[in-house]
Amino acid sequence: MDWKVRAPLRVDLSGGWTDAAPFIVEHVGALVNFAIDKFQIYDGNEISCSWLGMGLGTSGGYNVVKAVIEDGLYEREKILLRAYQRELQENVCGMQDMAASTYGGLNYWEFYRDNFYRVPIPLTEELRRGLQDLAVLVNTGKSRSPRHFFVYANYPYVEPILVKLSEIATRMRDELLSENMRRVRQLVKDTFYWQSRIPTVTTPEIEELVGMADAGKVCGAGGGGCVLLLFENEKRLEEFREKCKETISYKIWEKGVETTYREIK
């Protein structure tokens, strides 16, 4: 498809939902995610995307594109903060979806009430192999659930779970910087364990899929959408693909939002 502006979608590795209020009012949200080669695309007439409802941050990417084409912004920090403002007008949300779409790549984030801190993680051969070549997404066929309704109605119950997820994301940053994929997979498993303590996140189908991999977790709010699955080696991945034909391959996208007509800094 021809495009004039495109913003990549994202996969969250750990810390999802710690980027949103009310958590960031009293805590620092910590999160690891990476952008992928699936996009919100503006072709000069309309914005379109083929990946809606899959837990890949499509609404965030949409508002990043809008910040470029309607607000005329070409500096990444300004794009991110404006896209976040746009999203808050329409949805209960955090900042991670817009952050990945704006900056691209693999990143550790800290989120505050009105700001953010970013640590880019170099995408080495070892990390690309572990997070991309030995990984797949599987679409459950069900739209992801609006987890925020449960979170807001039951925040005293959810808050300690989010603290755990934030702590795991910080440890994951360190293991990624050390290129220790064995420990990264374990932290993805730990993330799913704590995600699953939130009742709207998992389903029997999701549990079955995660159980077939060496590590896995739901993407975004969960309850449907995509599941990220990681494998130790090519043999394990191919064995899974023989059992599940509906896998989605992806490439980690390092560019962030881009246009065909002007550089974004």
Side-chain angles (χ1 to χ4, degrees):
M1 177 186 292
D2 292 335
W3 58 275
K4 293 185 181 299
V5 181
R6 64 180 180 183
L9 307 184
R10 63 97 185 98
V11 172
D12 52 314
L13 271 181
S14 191
W17 205 251
T18 71
D19 58 323
F23 187 78
I24 58 172
V25 175
E26 299 179 357
H27 306 273
V28 176
L31 194 146
V32 177
N33 64 19
F34 55 84
I36 60 174
D37 60 341
K38 318 299 178 191
F39 302 94
Q40 282 279 9
I41 292 175
Y42 174 66
D43 63 4
N45 295 303
E46 62 180 1
I47 304 171
S48 62
C49 182
S50 302
W51 306 94
L52 301 178
M54 295 191 188
L56 301 177
T58 53
S59 64
Y62 176 84
N63 281 305
V64 166
V65 172
K66 295 270 278 189
V68 174
I69 64 175
E70 293 189 2
D71 299 310
L73 300 177
Y74 298 96
E75 296 178 32
R76 294 190 191 278
E77 182 174 348
K78 291 181 179 179
I79 290 170
L80 171 52
L81 295 175
R82 177 59 183 139
Y84 181 47
Q85 292 172 353
R86 282 181 167 275
E87 184 84 359
L88 284 174
Q89 294 171 5
E90 306 168 0
N91 190 20
V92 179
C93 69
M95 201 181 290
Q96 74 136 326
D97 297 352
M98 291 69 78
S101 285
T102 300
Y103 284 89
L106 170 64
N107 296 282
Y108 166 80
W109 304 91
E110 290 181 355
F111 293 103
Y112 307 89
R113 188 180 304 190
D114 297 308
N115 215 328
F116 66 95
Y117 171 70
R118 170 178 173 250
V119 177
I121 299 174
L123 195 58
T124 64
E125 183 177 342
E126 178 68 14
L127 294 185
R128 189 180 292 277
R129 181 172 185 270
L131 297 176
Q132 171 185 290
D133 302 339
L134 295 178
V136 292
L137 296 169
V138 178
N139 182 18
T140 63
K142 299 177 182 179
S143 183
R144 84 284 182 272
S145 69
R147 177 174 48 165
H148 57 270
F149 293 128
F150 181 89
V151 169
Y152 271 87
N154 301 272
Y155 184 69
Y157 167 79
V158 172
E159 182 181 16
I161 296 174
L162 300 185
V163 169
K164 288 289 187 181
L165 291 171
S166 183
E167 292 171 351
I168 291 169
T170 301
R171 297 204 303 273
M172 185 175 287
R173 172 202 62 195
D174 297 338
E175 299 300 346
L176 287 165
L177 289 170
S178 299
E179 302 182 56
N180 189 336
M181 276 305 305
R182 181 185 65 81
R183 286 292 302 147
V184 169
R185 286 191 295 271
Q186 181 58 54
L187 291 170
V188 169
K189 293 169 71 172
D190 294 346
T191 294
F192 183 62
Y193 171 83
W194 287 105
Q195 282 184 319
S196 300
R197 307 282 72 77
I198 300 175
T200 57
V201 167
T202 191
T203 66
E205 180 185 5
I206 290 172
E207 297 276 353
E208 181 180 4
L209 285 168
V210 170
M212 296 168 69
D214 294 308
K217 62 176 294 294
V218 297
C219 295
C226 284
V227 178
L228 171 69
L229 303 176
L230 305 179
F231 298 87
E232 292 183 4
N233 52 53
E234 287 82 359
K235 180 181 178 181
R236 290 276 295 140
L237 174 56
E238 291 309 313
E239 288 173 349
F240 176 79
R241 280 183 164 147
E242 289 177 4
K243 298 174 183 176
C244 181
K245 305 297 185 182
E246 303 300 320
T247 61
I248 302 169
S249 299
Y250 60 84
K251 301 292 185 184
I252 298 176
W253 197 257
E254 299 188 70
K255 296 180 182 179
V257 63
E258 55 187 332
T259 78
T260 57
Y261 52 84
R262 180 168 173 174
E263 181 182 5
I264 295 179
K265 298 181 179 180

